[in-house]
Amino acid sequence: MPEKKSRALHFVELNHSQRVVAAQIISTKPLRAMSVIAAKRPIPQGIYANKNQFYFYMTRYLIERLSWLCRDLRPRVPEGDGRVAITFSRRGGMSYETFREYLRRLKALNDPEIKIHWPVIDIDGVDAQDHSRSASLQLVDAIASSFACAVAPNPYGNCELRYAEILKPITYQRKGNYLSYGVKVVPKPEECGLTDEQNRLIDLFK
């Protein structure tokens, strides 16, 4: 991208051809991608009334899957103490200490519905960095945006599945099951009222 004046990568600023290349390059790297996708229309109004409540709830699903991945890979990754370093892209209005406290409350509940594998989660180590200063966060942005493009219509009303399709080889799965692991849809896909075009993402990962 010789015309770029900054090394910071923002997927939303790339044209289609550049997005395809970015996804192609990411798909060759030794990493795993996972996405949590929410359909907001089926959610009753007022159920998530507190600040960042819905964001925290969705992040819980992501951390569940992240903890499973780290647990599963630990036998093959002897380095370190087995815990994951969770780093957010810094966003305005978000208190990361409040999020750490949220995780502590979840852990204390001992609720079987909360399926986080806690031994690998370093709650005190949860951190945030500026997007422009972290190549890892820019990779995450590209992956998240790739999946968002598959379900969020562009200004012309079309969804673009190709980026998520390119990333399928690195998407987290167990025994071919993607929709419980690397592509979590909330609520269940059949309850989301998805269009035929949006359902192409579900069909891709069935």
Side-chain angles (χ1 to χ4, degrees):
M1 302 176 189
E3 73 282 1
K4 279 184 64 64
K5 295 181 173 60
S6 167
R7 289 178 59 85
L9 183 70
H10 292 270
F11 197 79
V12 70
E13 296 175 356
L14 305 182
N15 62 40
H16 172 69
S17 297
Q18 292 169 333
R19 291 177 178 184
V20 168
V21 170
Q24 288 171 334
I25 292 172
I26 293 170
S27 71
T28 67
K29 302 303 177 184
L31 53 82
R32 287 293 175 268
M34 56 188 72
S35 301
V36 176
I37 302 168
K40 295 182 179 180
R41 277 181 297 180
I43 300 172
Q45 284 191 340
I47 193 170
Y48 297 108
N50 297 330
K51 184 177 181 180
N52 289 321
Q53 186 179 2
F54 183 63
Y55 183 78
F56 284 10
Y57 180 70
M58 296 302 296
T59 305
R60 166 197 147 185
Y61 282 116
L62 187 63
I63 289 179
E64 279 182 352
R65 281 141 188 83
L66 182 60
S67 73
W68 302 343
L69 177 66
C70 293
R71 178 193 60 198
D72 293 349
L73 291 184
R74 181 58 178 165
R76 299 189 327 210
V77 184
E79 295 84 6
D81 63 6
R83 294 184 299 168
V84 60
I86 299 173
T87 303
F88 284 89
S89 182
R90 199 185 310 279
R91 61 197 291 263
M94 170 76 171
S95 166
Y96 297 96
E97 178 52 39
T98 301
F99 182 75
R100 287 188 286 268
E101 184 56 38
Y102 170 73
L103 289 181
R104 294 184 190 107
R105 290 199 306 271
L106 290 183
K107 185 176 182 180
L109 286 174
N110 199 25
D111 184 343
E113 291 298 311
I114 300 169
K115 297 179 171 60
I116 296 172
H117 182 65
W118 292 109
V120 305
I121 301 300
D122 180 8
I123 295 177
D124 293 332
V126 171
D127 192 17
Q129 295 184 19
D130 294 332
H131 173 96
S132 61
R133 302 185 65 179
S134 170
S136 296
L137 292 177
Q138 292 169 45
L139 283 174
V140 170
D141 169 69
I143 292 169
S145 297
S146 292
F147 281 83
C149 287
V151 291
N154 63 25
Y156 301 100
N158 299 313
C159 298
E160 178 53 72
L161 183 65
R162 188 173 179 190
Y163 318 131
E165 187 176 25
I166 293 170
L167 294 175
K168 184 175 180 179
I170 62 165
T171 300
Y172 178 37
Q173 51 88 14
R174 273 189 188 171
K175 298 180 181 179
N177 182 346
Y178 291 88
L179 293 179
S180 297
Y181 296 94
V183 186
K184 171 65 175 176
V185 180
V186 181
K188 295 178 180 178
E190 58 269 23
E191 299 172 1
C192 290
L194 300 177
T195 66
D196 290 343
E197 195 171 16
Q198 290 168 328
N199 265 314
R200 291 169 58 217
L201 177 72
I202 307 304
D203 292 339
L204 175 64
F205 287 98
K206 273 186 177 176

